[in-house]
Amino acid sequence: MDLILRNARLIGAEQEPTDIGIMGGRIAAVQQQLAAEGETIDLDGRLVSPGLIETHIHLDKSCILDRCRAEKGDLEEAIQEVARAKKGFTPEDVYARAKKTLEKSILNGTTHMRTQLEVDPGIGLRGLEGVRKLVDEYRWAIDIEICIFPQEGLLNNPGTDELMVEALKSGGSVVGAAPYTDSSPHGQIDRIFAIAREFDIDIDMHLDFGPNPDDLDLLYVCEQTEKFRYGGRVAIGHVTKLSGAPPELFDRCARRMADAGVALTVLPSTDLYLMGRHMDHSVMRGVAASHKLLHHGVNCSLSTNNVLNPFTPFGDCSLVRMANLYANICQVGAKGDIRECFHMISSRSARLMNLKDYGLAPGCAADLVVLDATSAEEAVAELAPVLYVFKRGRRTVSRARPQLHRPH
């Protein structure tokens, strides 16, 4: 074997520690007391999961607080401030900031990432040029796919459509949307579905980003998903409007999403920060209850979204922290739901991104993360630190467990 991880507690089967044998970048064997030779790491009963997955992050506009205001703290200000700042972006600037954020993600156990990337006449393809270099440069540690989307409108922003098509021919592999910024939200959705079918790629939309459940575009997205038989290939992000939906509307939306095969990514940090700014008391949390959607059969993930910019002035790129934050915001207490918070940064995210060879079974890619915990619930509840990360069987991150130094 190239590598043997001994005494590992596998996510989903934490009771009995086992051994993992790795050969040629893949898991070759999973069994107790594995009879094999090779480089060996004794994990001493620590938790092993397939690598964590960032389904929705914005590398291109991370780390720009030094050039933006975040005084009102609402969505309108964030869009305006970033629109102003990004006019000064250069490929080199985007690369440097995105690299810093990417390395934080890797250090926190992320082995797969879908980064959202905006194009429009103001920024052109400079953001793509900066981020695209990182795809190959960091392939040793992480697989990155780029979702091209129009942050500032599509139909109402001449030239954006052509730039999106060019970006998809030049490194983009998923197409996104932000209908709430367009003069015709449904028109933008229609165009995005047309582009997706033309390129035969998946869709990942920013959707229903607002404080009340009126005029839910998700119902139209479900309709289009069924019309074009795109179930399992459509994800929507945010959907903060669902957090204000009464139970009967929430349940109806959940059933439609499950039937159509539309997945949801919840962005706890951004949604909590931006929503409720119109309220001066009993302020809403604004975070859609993804664990309740799971009960209806909707696939969901939790992700970071923005880091150190007006949309989210905080963040260390820890998905475990994001799972913990979500559990606090949405008052998750049931053991099974806490476990699902971990799945929403790992296996459910893999399903949302249609990843192949993801898992802990023999034959799967050896993309693994070791956490200082003994169960998924413990990892979420106690913000378990990452001890090791492996990409295709190669160690990419290691971190010593903290020790107490008692006086003699």
Side-chain angles (χ1 to χ4, degrees):
M1 295 287 181
D2 297 329
L3 177 66
I4 305 164
L5 303 179
R6 296 203 182 273
N7 298 312
R9 294 185 189 273
L10 273 58
I11 189 83
E14 292 98 326
Q15 292 76 17
E16 294 294 332
T18 190
D19 299 337
I20 305 171
I22 297 170
M23 177 72 73
R26 294 189 173 273
I27 297 174
V30 178
Q31 64 185 70
Q32 292 181 331
Q33 298 180 336
L34 177 63
E37 294 183 355
E39 180 187 354
T40 299
I41 301 176
D42 189 344
L43 299 183
D44 192 27
R46 299 301 92 189
L47 182 70
V48 176
S49 166
L52 305 183
I53 300 174
E54 188 75 77
T55 60
H56 187 126
I57 192 170
H58 295 258
L59 291 178
D60 57 334
K61 57 187 183 186
S62 65
C63 305
I64 56 172
L65 276 180
D66 60 340
R67 61 189 86 171
C68 294
R69 293 179 302 171
E71 297 171 0
K72 295 179 181 177
D74 58 17
L75 178 61
E76 182 180 7
E77 179 189 57
I79 292 175
Q80 291 176 350
E81 284 296 300
V82 174
R84 180 181 57 79
K86 72 182 181 184
K87 292 178 181 178
F89 287 2
T90 65
E92 294 76 19
D93 167 52
V94 171
Y95 169 84
R97 290 183 290 99
K99 180 177 181 177
K100 183 187 302 184
T101 302
L102 182 62
E103 290 188 352
K104 289 181 182 178
S105 296
I106 294 168
L107 287 168
N108 279 297
T110 301
T111 61
H112 295 80
M113 172 181 287
R114 174 180 290 174
T115 182
Q116 303 280 332
L117 191 140
E118 54 197 74
V119 298
D120 55 59
I123 179 95
L125 299 180
R126 298 193 300 276
L128 177 62
E129 292 171 23
V131 170
R132 188 173 52 195
K133 293 170 58 179
L134 298 168
V135 176
D136 289 330
E137 183 177 342
Y138 281 85
R139 198 177 300 277
W140 57 272
I142 190 168
D143 291 319
I144 305 170
E145 61 180 45
I146 301 174
C147 177
I148 305 299
F149 85 106
Q151 174 69 77
E152 297 173 41
L154 177 60
L155 304 183
N156 60 322
N157 202 357
T160 302
D161 194 305
E162 293 82 357
L163 283 167
M164 289 185 63
V165 170
E166 185 177 352
L168 289 168
K169 292 178 179 178
S170 305
S173 57
V174 181
V175 65
Y180 51 85
T181 64
D182 211 302
S183 55
S184 173
H186 285 193
Q188 183 180 126
I189 292 168
D190 290 343
R191 177 57 182 146
I192 296 308
F193 269 93
I195 292 173
R197 301 197 312 279
E198 178 185 348
F199 283 86
D200 190 21
I201 54 178
D202 291 355
I203 295 171
D204 195 335
M205 299 185 176
H206 298 68
L207 208 70
D208 291 328
F209 206 1
N212 62 66
D214 298 335
D215 302 319
L216 287 166
D217 287 330
L218 75 85
L219 296 173
Y220 186 70
V221 169
C222 289
E223 179 183 315
Q224 298 305 97
T225 301
E226 290 180 330
K227 177 180 178 180
F228 297 113
R229 299 182 180 180
Y230 238 65
R233 302 189 68 181
V234 178
I236 56 179
H238 295 294
V239 193
T240 57
K241 289 185 176 184
L242 270 189
S243 70
E248 60 274 12
L249 177 58
F250 183 95
D251 292 348
R252 179 163 71 90
C253 290
R255 289 192 297 270
R256 285 294 291 125
M257 292 171 66
D259 290 344
V262 173
L264 171 67
T265 294
V266 169
L267 296 314
S269 185
T270 298
D271 297 347
L272 179 65
Y273 178 74
L274 291 176
M275 289 299 105
R277 295 289 180 170
H278 64 295
M279 307 173 76
D280 60 12
H281 67 282
S282 297
V283 178
M284 66 185 297
R285 296 184 178 94
V287 178
S290 57
H291 68 290
K292 293 182 180 179
L293 290 171
L294 298 181
H295 297 167
H296 288 274
V298 181
N299 186 36
C300 298
S301 71
L302 301 172
S303 201
T304 296
N305 195 43
N306 281 288
V307 179
L308 304 177
N309 71 19
F311 289 90
T312 321
F314 318 106
D316 62 357
C317 303
S318 167
L319 284 169
V320 175
R321 188 182 307 282
M322 211 52 60
N324 175 279
L325 177 62
Y326 171 83
N328 275 279
I329 296 168
C330 290
Q331 301 173 319
V332 178
K335 183 177 180 180
D337 288 338
I338 296 174
R339 176 170 286 265
E340 286 289 5
C341 289
F342 192 89
H343 292 324
M344 285 191 281
I345 60 172
S346 54
S347 57
R348 288 192 172 276
S349 297
R351 179 179 160 194
L352 183 149
M353 289 177 58
N354 291 309
L355 297 183
K356 309 300 182 186
D357 301 330
Y358 180 90
L360 294 176
C364 291
D367 298 339
L368 308 171
V369 60
V370 180
L371 296 128
D372 193 8
T374 58
S375 69
E377 295 87 347
E378 181 184 330
V380 172
E382 300 185 21
L383 291 168
V386 168
L387 300 179
Y388 296 100
V389 186
F390 301 89
K391 185 64 178 177
R392 288 180 282 273
R394 178 184 178 278
R395 182 170 16 175
T396 56
V397 174
S398 60
R399 182 182 286 111
R401 293 179 67 186
Q403 299 181 38
L404 290 174
H405 296 278
R406 300 184 184 277
H408 295 295

